[in-house]
Amino acid sequence: MASYLAQEVQLARRHDKILSQRLVLLQQMENHLGDKKTEKTLQTQAADAAYKRNAALLNDIEAAEKRLQARIHLQPHPDIVNLETLYWASVEESIPKWEQFLLGRAQTPVGFKKKKSTKYNISHPEGAAQR
């Protein structure tokens, strides 16, 4: 009977050891699960922050695009409009003078100088200046 008592004490100690190991493993599993939950929460927060940041950037880009589009459609400076008006008035005034010439029916209008083609002459010093 002493052997049964010794065996039962040994089994009780072994049972206690197994229970303590089980408790340690359960605690480790809970810690691991808590770490995973925390990690998932942090990833979710990071994804939300990235989404908000990307949305803000997209809004900024769209606003910049709208400002640039508005600038394109703005009226030019009054001085530029005035110069354009004077230029086109000058062109319209000159059309009758140039029309026959451009159609090949008349000589160049008065006040237009034809460029003379000059060849480079080494012996003539002014030839180098004219080139």
Side-chain angles (χ1 to χ4, degrees), residues 7 9 11-12 15 24-25 37-38 48 53 56 61 72 92-93 103-104 106 110 122:
Q7 208 176 18
V9 170
L11 285 175
H15 179 67
V24 168
L25 288 173
K37 284 183 180 180
T38 303
D48 289 343
R53 186 175 55 250
I61 290 170
I72 289 173
E92 288 177 8
E93 185 180 304
L103 292 173
V110 177
I122 297 176

Side-chain angles (χ1 to χ4, degrees), residues 75-95:
Q75 292 294 327
H77 192 273
D79 291 342
I80 293 175
V81 173
N82 187 33
L83 286 173
E84 285 178 352
T85 305
L86 292 174
Y87 170 77
W88 286 112
S90 167
V91 168
E92 288 177 8
E93 185 180 304
S94 301
I95 286 177

Side-chain angles (χ1 to χ4, degrees), residues 10-11 22 42 64 87 118:
Q10 186 181 8
L11 285 175
R22 180 178 179 267
L42 291 175
Y87 170 77
T118 58

Side-chain angles (χ1 to χ4, degrees), residues 32-125:
H32 183 69
L33 181 62
D35 291 346
K36 286 292 184 185
K37 284 183 180 180
T38 303
E39 184 179 334
K40 186 175 180 179
T41 303
L42 291 175
Q43 286 178 345
T44 304
Q45 289 173 350
D48 289 343
Y51 176 79
K52 289 176 184 176
R53 186 175 55 250
N54 290 345
L57 287 172
L58 185 61
N59 288 338
D60 290 346
I61 290 170
E62 288 173 352
E65 183 181 9
K66 286 179 184 177
R67 284 193 307 269
L68 289 173
Q69 289 294 336
R71 283 186 187 176
I72 289 173
H73 299 296
L74 286 177
Q75 292 294 327
H77 192 273
D79 291 342
I80 293 175
V81 173
N82 187 33
L83 286 173
E84 285 178 352
T85 305
L86 292 174
Y87 170 77
W88 286 112
S90 167
V91 168
E92 288 177 8
E93 185 180 304
S94 301
I95 286 177
K97 297 177 192 172
W98 285 91
E99 188 172 21
Q100 294 302 316
F101 169 72
L102 293 173
L103 292 173
R105 297 181 188 154
Q107 293 185 357
T108 59
V110 177
F112 177 74
K113 295 180 182 177
K114 261 189 173 177
K115 288 186 178 180
K116 295 181 182 178
S117 60
T118 58
K119 292 185 179 180
Y120 182 72
N121 190 351
I122 297 176
S123 62
H124 195 302

